[in-house]
C-alpha cells in the first residue's frame, strides 16, 4: 500500500480490459498487479506458480544469504514466502486486503539450495474478513511450515476497472 492509501496504484499496473466477470482472469490480473509492486518478494526471488480465486502458490529458492546462525533458512524468510502466498490469495478476488493476523509453526529446517513452495488456500471469506491456510514444503514435498492468516478488506481494488 502506498503512503497515500490503498486507492493509489503506484508502479506498473496490468493493462486491464474487460474480464466479463471471469473469476480466474480477475485473479490472474490481481496477482500480476500486486506482485509487480512487491519489491520485497522480488528481492527474495519469489515466483508465482499458480493463482486462482482464493488460492495461490509461490516458490523461492533458499540462498546462502538467507541462512541464520545455525546455517538453516531464517524463519522470517520462510514466513515471508508464506505471507506473500497469503497476500496473493486474499487479494485474488480484486478486493484490496491486508493481513490482520498470522501465525506460523515451523516443522522442519530448510537449507541453502532448497526450493520452498508455499500454497495458500482460502478456507473462509465473509464481509471484510477471510481465513487462509498456508503450507510451505521443500522440493521433496516435506512440510517445512504451516501458517494461518486472517485478512481484512480495505478500501479499493488491486487492479482498477476489471469490469
Amino acid at each position: 500500500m502506498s503512503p497515500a492509501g490503498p486507492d493509489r496504484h503506484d508502479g506498473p499496473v496490468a493493462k486491464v480490459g474487460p474480464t466479463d466477470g471471469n473469476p480466474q482472469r480477475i485473479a490472474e490480473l490481481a496477482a500480476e498487479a500486486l506482485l509487480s509492486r512487491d519489491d520485497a518478494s522480488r528481492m527474495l526471488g519469489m515466483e508465482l506458480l499458480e493463482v486462482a480465486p482464493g488460492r495461490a502458490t509461490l516458490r523461492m529458492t533458499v540462498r546462502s544469504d538467507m541462512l541464520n546462525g545455525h546455517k538453516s533458512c531464517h524463519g522470517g524468510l520462510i514466513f515471508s514466502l508464506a505471507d506473500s502466498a497469503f497476500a496473493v490469495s486474499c487479494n485474488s478476488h480484486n478486493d484490496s486486503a491486508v493481513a490482520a493476523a498470522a501465525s506460523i509453526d515451523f516443522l522442519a529446517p530448510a537449507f541453502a539450495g532448497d526450493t520452498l513452495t508455499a500454497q495458500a488456500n482460502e478456507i473462509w471469506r465473509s464481509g471484510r474478513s477471510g481465513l487462509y491456510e498456508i503450507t510451505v514444503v521443500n522440493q521433496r514435498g516435506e512440510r517445512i511450515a504451516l501458517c494461518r492468516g486472517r485478512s481484512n478488506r480495505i478500501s479499493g481494488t488491486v487492479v482498477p476497472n476489471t469490469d
Side-chain angles (χ1 to χ4, degrees):
M1 179 169 59
S2 73
D7 292 321
R8 184 171 167 192
H9 297 280
D10 288 343
V13 174
K15 296 207 186 294
V16 179
T19 62
D20 297 323
N22 180 318
Q24 178 61 36
R25 183 68 182 134
I26 291 169
E28 292 166 359
L29 290 170
E32 180 183 332
L34 187 68
L35 290 173
S36 75
R37 300 186 299 256
D38 186 342
D39 294 333
S41 294
R42 188 173 27 263
M43 182 253 323
L44 292 171
M46 293 181 198
E47 173 188 5
L48 178 68
L49 300 180
E50 179 208 10
V51 65
R55 190 172 70 236
T57 305
L58 275 71
R59 176 171 58 202
M60 175 182 81
T61 299
V62 178
R63 304 183 311 243
S64 62
D65 64 344
M66 297 174 165
L67 303 181
N68 62 24
H70 296 288
K71 294 299 182 188
S72 61
C73 186
H74 192 288
L77 300 177
I78 295 169
F79 181 79
S80 292
L81 176 63
D83 185 51
S84 291
F86 168 38
V88 173
S89 179
C90 72
N91 282 275
S92 64
H93 302 284
N94 199 35
D95 296 319
S96 290
V98 295
S103 63
I104 191 164
D105 290 299
F106 298 104
L107 308 176
F111 300 99
D114 281 350
T115 300
L116 303 181
T117 303
Q119 183 174 39
N121 291 294
E122 185 176 85
I123 56 173
W124 173 81
R125 181 174 175 256
S126 181
R128 298 180 64 84
S129 299
L131 286 176
Y132 298 79
E133 290 182 340
I134 307 96
T135 302
V136 179
V137 300
N138 65 16
Q139 67 276 10
R140 293 177 297 280
E142 299 164 339
R143 285 187 182 153
I144 301 300
L146 296 175
C147 182
R148 178 171 272 198
R150 181 171 51 86
S151 67
N152 187 50
R153 283 194 49 211
I154 56 175
S155 64
T157 59
V158 180
V159 180
N161 306 320
T162 58
D163 297 329

